[in-house]
Amino acid sequence: MKTRTLNTEVILCLSPTNSISQSLSTFGLSPKVQNIVAVSLAESPEQLDCMVEELKTKVQAEKADENNEFQYCKTSVCKVYSVTEGELSVDTLENTVVTKIATKV
């Protein structure tokens, strides 16, 4: 791990860079955030259920329908991950972002 906690490690892994402060600035919570993705790591389904219930008590939010596709702003994603039109002509945005995350040095 490159960070002190698993929470910040997950946020760092989402980032296109290895800068922890930039990762937290880009993907961390702030008062103006309207949509979040919650990641819970548990050893059992029961433990995960408890974690989800605890999260519900701390965050005023509605859980999105799990059957909906993940929605995002293409322009914002391209800006954060520096995706070019040339890259998009070769592969999908999703594959390009996953490649950039997986291959960052």
Side-chain angles (χ1 to χ4, degrees):
M1 280 186 19
K2 295 179 182 177
T3 65
R4 293 183 202 163
T5 67
L6 189 55
N7 298 333
T8 53
E9 193 71 23
V10 169
I11 292 172
L12 179 62
C13 288
L14 286 172
S15 177
T17 71
N18 285 318
S19 168
I20 295 168
S21 60
Q22 185 177 354
S23 301
L24 290 170
S25 159
T26 302
F27 297 105
L29 291 178
S30 71
K32 60 184 174 181
V33 170
Q34 294 184 11
N35 299 303
I36 66 167
V37 174
V39 177
S40 296
L41 305 173
E43 294 182 16
S44 69
E46 295 79 20
Q47 185 183 24
L48 180 60
D49 290 340
C50 289
M51 293 169 84
V52 169
E53 289 305 315
E54 182 180 349
L55 180 63
K56 287 180 183 178
T57 66
K58 295 180 179 179
V59 178
Q60 286 184 325
E62 295 179 22
K63 185 177 176 185
D65 183 0
E66 292 176 4
N67 296 324
N68 285 348
E69 287 188 26
F70 189 70
Q71 298 177 0
Y72 54 86
C73 173
K74 181 179 177 180
T75 304
S76 296
V77 172
C78 287
K79 181 179 177 184
V80 168
Y81 290 97
S82 302
V83 176
T84 65
E85 287 298 322
E87 290 170 315
L88 293 177
S89 69
V90 177
D91 207 346
T92 65
L93 177 58
E94 293 84 357
N95 287 342
T96 302
V97 169
V98 169
T99 300
K100 285 178 177 272
I101 290 172
T103 59
K104 71 178 176 181
V105 177

